[in-house]
Amino acid sequence: MMASSPRRTTFALILCCVLQQLLQLAGVARAAGNFYQDVDITWGDGRGKILGGGDLLTLSLDRASGSGFQSKNQYLYGRFDMQIKLVPGDSAGTVATFYLSSQGSAHDEIDFEFLGNASGEPYTVHTNVYSQGKGGREQQFRMWFDPTADFHTYSVLWNPKHILFYVDGTPIREYRNREATAGVPFPTRQPMRVYASMWDGEEWATQGGRVKTDWSRAPFTASYKGLAASGCASQDVAACARSNGAWMYQELDTTAQDRLQQVQKNYMIYNYCTDTWRFPQGAPPECAAAK
């Protein structure tokens, strides 16, 4: 066996150190931030609390008020992950949220909303997309697990081509940019902040408002951790459009497309595109363009 030359040994050591540094950097990139550094609790009069040195944030709702927070940064495109443990037991009438939004009457918005349930019934995961102030693009799902028993990761990927909603890495919804083909506005010009809130949706959240909130169970508390936001934080729209982050080019491969179709077949309970009562003259144009 030939002995290693000093030059080869030195190169191997340098390569090993470089690989270790790259792995450490990758770990930092994947690691969640600190709530003290990354968000501001914007309302709730003490009902929102940062705990565990900044690793955990809880939002509570009682009859007097809910609570919420927003990210310090705003982004134009990116990938946004949040681990959430929802309110256990009878949470009827409550709504916990994780979403992106710009400001103003013509705002853009990308929503995860978790609609509370009567005890023994599953949570409803409500998704929606607004562009230039117009929403009404709801899809709703049941989950394949109990979202109150532990933390699960809910993610939004947003780039100029599409918006993807993920649960624990599984895609549950894709909303594509059909501005050019169907004339439907798509969020491409307004930076958005990350928001979360816990609020009173008693009038509509549970079975269309038929099941009311049992306020004797208050406060209702949802827990958040692991906020990871990776996106373009520049205010220059043109610069963000040239971003080279992985999220700018991410598409669903064949396996992910199959998983998306399985989730939509087995767990979707509402799709605005198929609501003929709501749209008797035909589905919105982006629905037809998707076929």
Side-chain angles (χ1 to χ4, degrees), residues 101 142 186:
S101 184
R142 305 288 198 209
F186 185 86

Side-chain angles (χ1 to χ4, degrees), residues 53-213:
D55 296 331
L56 179 68
L57 193 154
T58 60
L59 296 177
S60 294
L61 164 71
D62 56 34
R63 188 181 284 276
S65 179
S67 50
F69 67 84
Q70 69 180 36
S71 64
K72 294 181 184 293
N73 287 332
Q74 52 185 347
Y75 305 89
L76 185 63
Y77 309 127
R79 165 98 184 212
F80 310 91
D81 304 275
M82 184 81 80
Q83 296 177 48
I84 307 172
K85 183 163 69 172
L86 297 174
V87 179
D90 185 347
S91 57
T94 70
V95 181
T97 72
F98 163 52
Y99 64 103
L100 309 176
S101 184
S102 60
Q103 297 297 308
S105 58
H107 73 292
D108 297 332
E109 188 172 322
I110 305 168
D111 292 341
F112 266 115
E113 294 185 306
F114 306 94
L115 312 185
N117 63 326
S119 294
E121 295 183 356
Y123 253 87
T124 296
V125 178
H126 177 100
T127 66
N128 201 355
V129 176
Y130 286 75
S131 51
Q132 297 184 20
K134 183 180 183 298
R137 303 180 176 101
E138 303 92 344
Q139 288 184 358
Q140 295 182 341
F141 304 82
R142 305 288 198 209
M143 291 295 95
W144 48 93
F145 53 81
D146 178 359
T148 73
D150 204 350
F151 285 91
H152 291 270
T153 302
Y154 303 89
S155 308
V156 170
L157 183 138
W158 167 37
N159 65 32
K161 292 183 178 179
H162 59 173
I163 294 164
L164 291 167
F165 296 79
Y166 292 88
V167 176
D168 288 338
T170 295
I172 66 168
R173 179 178 184 181
E174 180 183 32
Y175 182 83
R176 294 202 68 85
N177 182 351
R178 304 196 183 277
E179 192 160 13
T181 58
V184 179
F186 185 86
T188 56
R189 292 173 285 278
Q190 299 187 69
M192 296 194 252
R193 295 186 191 275
V194 178
Y195 293 85
S197 59
M198 187 74 194
W199 57 279
D200 175 10
E202 184 178 42
E203 296 304 316
W204 69 279
T206 306
Q207 297 183 27
R210 291 187 295 274
V211 181
K212 301 301 183 181
T213 304

Side-chain angles (χ1 to χ4, degrees), residues 34 125 230 269 274 284:
N34 182 288
V125 178
S230 177
I269 61 171
T274 60

